[in-house]
Amino acid sequence: MSKKKTSGLTIKHKVGYGLGDAGGCMTFALMTGMFTRYCMNVLQVDSRVLAGLLFVWNVWDAVNDPMMGAIMDKIYAKNHNKKGKFRPWILRSTPMLAVTAIALWTVPTFFSGVAMIAALFICKILYEGCYTMFNIPMGSLLSAMANTDEERAGLSSARGFGSIVGNLIPMVLFPLLLAQFGDSATGFGLGATVCALLGGVMCFLHYYWTEERNITDAPKDDNAEKVKITDILNVVKVNRAFLALCIHGICICVMQNASSSLGTYMYKDVMGNIGMMSMASTIAMPLSIVFLAIAPKVAKKLGLVKMIRHGLLLSCVMFVSLFALHMVTNVNIWVHIIWSSLASGFASLSVLMQWGMVGEAIDYNEYLTGKRTEGSIYGSFNLARRIGNTVGSSLAVLMLGWVGYDTAAAVQSAAAITGIKALCVLMPGIFVIGSWLAFTFVWNITPEIREKMAQSKGGQSA
């Protein structure tokens, strides 16, 4: 049973919640956008070694995400911290996240050989652990703040805006620094330090400007016995909506991670101007804002799930047609930027709106099982996204080698150029279809089920 505050969310709440994803993305965006280049071009890590390291790192991430969520559920059920279930974790993890982010992009550059690999491995493990400690409670906080579908949508939009800002700043800053300093330790270290410090400020503001409005009243001992770490296994079996979100998370993260990891190669080696990557990131921000602004109105007419399906189909068509254009002619860089930005923008509708749908899957799980375990479900959804990141990053690195990319060559071979185009333009369209299939054939929360969920909540409240 939970006691819910009747006052609505304030602008401060929404801005504060959005700053959480903005702060986290300030360093995490570097992992998808610049980490491969940092390892291969600065640290000179062999592509096969890097692929193996990425696999090991992401296996660890796959374990610690749901584990962290389950630990938060279990500890709160046992102790009922007066400061909340999630926010205390955010406060303690913020400075650790900033420090480990800076260390990851600087410490390994002071070593070489096996010592460098060891330093890189350890720094990455520490950073990912601190990021998980921050990200799981930050994401789970949505369900603890929102009481209605409207509030969930509002917080999802706020997180979407925060994600745009948090991803934009690093992707504008870094290409400019690389254009100035080249693939050097100075450029990467300076950029990471600035992003980590700015991200830390945003994360602290996220803590101070948010509030956990849903307070659990259940006795500590009884509630603790009900919450089990193994509960998530049953969720996968009975909650089709959660399963659909996991499939979507895997597919969309493969698409995003592979595209981000290889973006520098597309702009430098294919288009011949890595500095224009900043322009692509700059264009992506107002485009995403437009999508966020019109999404509620479109969703009101079509329904949220139907809107997402249409967006994913449009994205696939645009990616495939752009690849076909690249195959028959030399595409103007501005045409590529605008076309690919629109394709990514339509796909991003599913990403920007997924957080409210996670909240709905949590409500659906409570309806099915009688247990409310935000941390476990959000952590397990993050596990699915981590799997997508693992596949995307490892596949991208391996396929760079397969297509014949040579880090020492001033100009890449024709086969390598074609391969980079396929990896950066065609492959995203393929994985977008996977997400569309999940929302079309697996997602099962219908208006009738929503009505039953609302009736069930009303009965519990009474």
Side-chain angles (χ1 to χ4, degrees), residues 200-460:
V201 172
M202 293 176 181
C203 292
F204 276 123
L205 290 175
H206 167 69
Y207 170 79
Y208 287 109
W209 289 358
T210 54
E211 176 188 11
E212 294 188 39
R213 302 165 66 225
N214 304 337
I215 304 172
T216 302
D217 286 337
K220 295 179 184 178
D221 292 338
D222 291 344
N223 199 43
E225 290 178 1
K226 291 180 181 178
V227 177
K228 300 176 182 178
I229 293 178
T230 55
D231 284 344
I232 196 61
L233 300 177
N234 188 53
V235 174
V236 176
K237 294 180 182 178
V238 303
N239 193 332
R240 277 184 58 186
F242 174 71
L243 180 59
L245 282 168
C246 289
I247 296 171
H248 151 74
I250 292 172
C251 291
I252 212 72
C253 284
V254 169
M255 184 273 284
Q256 290 182 316
N257 201 276
S259 297
S260 297
S261 296
L262 298 169
T264 59
Y265 299 94
M266 184 69 187
Y267 280 95
K268 183 172 182 178
D269 297 294
V270 177
M271 310 303 292
N273 191 341
I274 194 173
M276 287 297 288
M277 191 175 175
S278 293
M279 186 58 65
S281 299
T282 302
I283 290 175
M285 180 177 182
L287 183 62
S288 296
I289 291 174
V290 170
F291 277 118
L292 280 173
I294 66 175
K297 295 180 180 179
V298 176
K300 188 175 182 180
K301 291 184 178 181
L302 298 180
L304 183 58
V305 176
K306 193 173 183 180
M307 178 190 72
I308 288 174
R309 290 175 190 158
H310 289 344
L312 291 168
L313 278 177
L314 281 170
S315 173
C316 178
V317 170
M318 295 196 73
F319 274 125
V320 173
S321 60
L322 178 58
F323 176 71
L325 190 63
H326 270 292
M327 291 297 96
V328 298
T329 186
N330 292 323
V331 178
N332 178 274
I333 193 167
W334 282 105
V335 172
H336 175 84
I337 288 173
I338 295 172
W339 202 319
S340 61
S341 295
L342 284 170
S344 298
F346 283 118
S348 71
L349 280 172
S350 63
V351 179
L352 297 171
M353 293 292 110
Q354 70 187 357
W355 310 114
M357 299 177 77
V358 172
E360 189 169 30
I362 290 171
D363 289 343
Y364 183 47
N365 195 69
E366 186 178 19
Y367 166 72
L368 293 174
T369 67
K371 297 181 181 181
R372 188 167 186 85
T373 51
E374 302 102 321
S376 297
I377 291 178
Y378 184 84
S380 298
F381 175 60
N382 248 28
L383 163 60
R385 297 174 68 233
R386 293 287 192 174
I387 292 173
N389 289 336
T390 301
V391 173
S393 57
S394 297
L395 190 62
V397 171
L398 285 174
M399 293 187 77
L400 262 182
W402 294 344
V403 301
Y405 181 81
D406 183 359
T407 57
V411 178
Q412 299 299 318
S413 67
I417 294 297
T418 300
I420 293 171
K421 290 177 181 178
L423 294 177
C424 294
V425 184
L426 179 61
M427 189 166 69
I430 295 173
F431 282 98
V432 162
I433 284 297
S435 181
W436 177 82
L437 290 171
F439 284 118
T440 302
F441 298 106
V442 183
W443 180 269
N444 70 324
I445 300 181
T446 62
E448 292 75 21
I449 291 178
R450 288 191 184 94
E451 185 176 350
K452 291 179 181 179
M453 289 163 57
Q455 291 173 353
S456 175
K457 276 193 172 184
Q460 290 175 5

Side-chain angles (χ1 to χ4, degrees), residues 9 11 13-22 142 146 148-166 285 288-297 299 304 307 348-357:
L9 292 175
I11 293 178
H13 285 142
K14 294 178 181 178
V15 172
Y17 188 71
L19 284 171
D21 212 29
L142 185 148
T148 66
D149 288 340
E150 183 179 357
E151 290 179 347
R152 278 194 291 270
L155 290 176
S156 293
S157 294
R159 177 170 181 171
F161 281 112
S163 177
I164 292 169
V165 173
M285 180 177 182
S288 296
I289 291 174
V290 170
F291 277 118
L292 280 173
I294 66 175
K297 295 180 180 179
L304 183 58
M307 178 190 72
S348 71
L349 280 172
S350 63
V351 179
L352 297 171
M353 293 292 110
Q354 70 187 357
W355 310 114
M357 299 177 77

